[in-house]
Amino acid sequence: MSDNLFSFPGESTGQDVGDFFGGAGGVAFTDLGSADEVENPFTKMTPPTEAPASGEAASVTPSPAPGQQAQDQLGTTQTPPPAAPPAVPASAETPKTPPAQTTEETNPLLAAMDLQEKKNAAKTAAPIFAQLPVFSYNGSEEPIENVDQTFEELRLAKADDFPEFDEAQSISWTVTYGKIVKNVATPRKTKIGNLKREIESSKEFMDALKKAADKRPKCIVKPKVTMQKKGECAYKGIFPRLADARASKKAISFIPAQDGRVYERRVTCAGEFITPTSSVRYLDDIRAGFAPALPLIPYSLMEQAVTLFRCLMDNGKGGCPLEALVHIYWDREEKRFFLYVPTQTVGKEFVDAVLDDDLLNDERYLHYADLHSHNDMPAEFSPTDDRDERANRVYMVMGRLNRYYPELSVRVCNGGHFCEISPAQVLEPMPEGDIPLAWLDRIKPAEDVTRRFLEAAA
């Protein structure tokens, strides 16, 4: 009984039996028949089994020795072999099934739509990208023409306008572009244009632009002063006297002088330089003017004054027109303006008035303005007016009273210095009559006028 009752395929070739069971040889047997293709005597004894799932390696029970296998085949407790051959393991020569795709194939229609959307977005954004970035500080805005400069170079360019920019370490920069806000970490190395393009090329910016109500956002470049030395930098100063400037040991000083000019003093190793200066950016931008603390003078008072002046147009000797003067007072108790005509001697080109002592009580009455006429002459202040009008108040002159609408000029005096102002700053406007709205419907502005108006408003 030492011989097998049936032979394994490949037995006559001397191959190792283990090779047929997925051993070192890597080849599994495929048939339990003999070399003569005799029917397998155990086929009918084998219960049906389910084949292993595709792609899974078949589990193989180690084969007993040939002698023991023969005994098991004849014994009563023998386990019949499987009727179907086990599945080929992954290492067999049978080609592997490629793994299932983890993602769905790209839909060409969706891809085309996505590409078109990107093209449309780029086309829409082109005018936005073409806009210059805007420098914004303390309510002032200005386009940045040179986008190749760094943020540090921009600071230096603006230092003359804003003295607080003198110290680089006291300035930090942010760029706000739509909903995107970027802090500038390295102002000395970062170019303004490069950071703007970096934001524009980001998905975050494009997504925010699609959802934003403002489709043309500005790229705002904004400095922030993080430290300030009480309005003065380390090497500049403003001093009321030259001696104070010299005692301060500042390298650059600004000193007002008796002639009304401002002088700039600089100290170098070569010596002390002092010259007149103008447009000093370090000093405040101050404009001459007047900010009234009282209400506007009622128009009805101006009508009374015009009536008086026109009465004197032909009352001079030989029909010569005469001048006249009225004072405008503010009653502190009654909170109202009123006109007062002082006693006066008048001629064609002069007025000599006598002040009423009763109205010199400045505890109640405030002498707010003077108004005199130039009859049929232009409403221009004369050298005589400059000599006489020296108090701190409002002065008005009315001329061309022979015309339907007279002329009016207004100025203020401050310590003997004059500043012309708009009449609307101190006088109520002329009353406006009602007009039918249909009139406005019949008036259409020219297209270029509308465009210029809209550009000016923007």
Side-chain angles (χ1 to χ4, degrees), residues 66-77:
Q68 182 66 36
Q69 183 182 27
Q71 295 177 7
D72 293 340
Q73 291 170 350
L74 296 178
T76 58
T77 60

Side-chain angles (χ1 to χ4, degrees), residues 81-105:
V88 180
S91 59
E93 294 179 358
T94 304
K96 295 182 179 179
T97 302
Q101 295 290 335
T102 58
T103 58
E104 295 182 359
E105 294 184 2

Side-chain angles (χ1 to χ4, degrees), residues 193-244:
N194 289 350
L195 185 55
K196 179 176 181 286
R197 286 187 290 270
E198 178 185 329
I199 296 175
E200 292 169 345
S201 61
S202 66
K203 183 178 183 300
E204 182 184 7
F205 176 77
M206 295 303 295
D207 290 344
L209 187 61
K210 293 177 185 177
K211 302 176 183 178
D214 183 7
K215 298 300 183 183
R216 299 199 66 173
K218 293 181 180 180
C219 180
I220 303 297
V221 176
K222 184 174 291 187
K224 180 180 179 182
V225 180
T226 56
M227 295 183 298
Q228 192 170 4
K229 299 179 180 180
K230 296 183 180 179
E232 293 188 7
C233 65
Y235 54 88
K236 284 184 181 181
I238 304 171
F239 302 93
R241 303 177 64 84
L242 179 60
D244 297 332

Side-chain angles (χ1 to χ4, degrees), residues 1-313:
M1 297 295 294
S2 61
D3 295 332
N4 291 334
L5 294 181
F6 58 91
S7 60
F8 288 92
E11 184 179 58
S12 60
T13 60
Q15 296 179 2
D16 189 352
V17 176
D19 295 343
F20 296 99
F21 295 91
V27 180
F29 68 88
T30 59
D31 195 2
L32 293 178
S34 64
D36 298 332
E37 299 184 356
V38 179
E39 183 180 359
N40 187 345
F42 302 102
T43 299
K44 298 179 180 180
M45 302 173 59
T46 306
T49 58
E50 294 181 1
S54 175
E56 297 180 359
S59 59
V60 181
T61 304
S63 174
Q68 182 66 36
Q69 183 182 27
Q71 295 177 7
D72 293 340
Q73 291 170 350
L74 296 178
T76 58
T77 60
Q78 63 185 2
T79 302
V88 180
S91 59
E93 294 179 358
T94 304
K96 295 182 179 179
T97 302
Q101 295 290 335
T102 58
T103 58
E104 295 182 359
E105 294 184 2
T106 304
N107 187 320
L109 178 58
L110 294 178
M113 292 173 63
D114 184 59
L115 178 61
Q116 186 62 39
E117 183 181 0
K118 290 180 179 178
K119 289 182 179 179
N120 293 340
K123 184 177 180 180
T124 304
I128 304 172
F129 296 167
Q131 295 181 126
L132 291 174
V134 177
F135 170 82
S136 176
Y137 181 71
N138 269 3
S140 61
E141 291 189 353
E142 181 184 29
I144 302 174
E145 301 286 346
N146 182 13
V147 296
D148 289 330
Q149 64 182 327
T150 65
F151 288 86
E152 171 64 11
E153 290 169 340
L154 178 61
R155 179 192 69 81
L156 294 173
K158 296 296 182 181
D160 287 341
D161 295 336
F162 305 102
E164 58 268 39
F165 287 8
D166 281 338
E167 303 293 335
Q169 64 270 21
S170 67
I171 304 295
S172 62
W173 296 88
T174 59
V175 176
T176 303
Y177 203 170
K179 299 292 184 180
I180 310 301
V181 180
K182 292 281 188 181
N183 294 319
V184 182
T186 54
R188 293 180 182 274
K189 298 180 180 179
T190 306
K191 292 185 176 181
I192 298 170
N194 289 350
L195 185 55
K196 179 176 181 286
R197 286 187 290 270
E198 178 185 329
I199 296 175
E200 292 169 345
S201 61
S202 66
K203 183 178 183 300
E204 182 184 7
F205 176 77
M206 295 303 295
D207 290 344
L209 187 61
K210 293 177 185 177
K211 302 176 183 178
D214 183 7
K215 298 300 183 183
R216 299 199 66 173
K218 293 181 180 180
C219 180
I220 303 297
V221 176
K222 184 174 291 187
K224 180 180 179 182
V225 180
T226 56
M227 295 183 298
Q228 192 170 4
K229 299 179 180 180
K230 296 183 180 179
E232 293 188 7
C233 65
Y235 54 88
K236 284 184 181 181
I238 304 171
F239 302 93
R241 303 177 64 84
L242 179 60
D244 297 332
R246 286 171 174 163
S248 71
K249 297 182 180 180
K250 296 278 188 180
I252 302 175
S253 306
F254 300 99
I255 311 102
Q258 288 183 355
D259 59 5
R261 305 179 69 179
V262 176
Y263 286 79
E264 182 173 344
R265 171 183 175 270
R266 290 177 180 255
V267 179
T268 71
C269 295
E272 179 187 52
F273 300 81
I274 301 177
T275 57
T277 187
S278 61
S279 300
V280 182
R281 301 295 185 183
Y282 188 69
L283 301 177
D284 291 337
D285 184 13
I286 301 176
R287 304 294 177 89
F290 175 65
L294 297 177
L296 297 178
I297 299 172
Y299 182 75
S300 58
L301 297 185
M302 298 302 294
E303 287 182 322
Q304 290 181 342
V306 170
T307 302
L308 172 64
F309 294 157
R310 280 181 168 160
C311 287
L312 297 172
M313 279 292 297

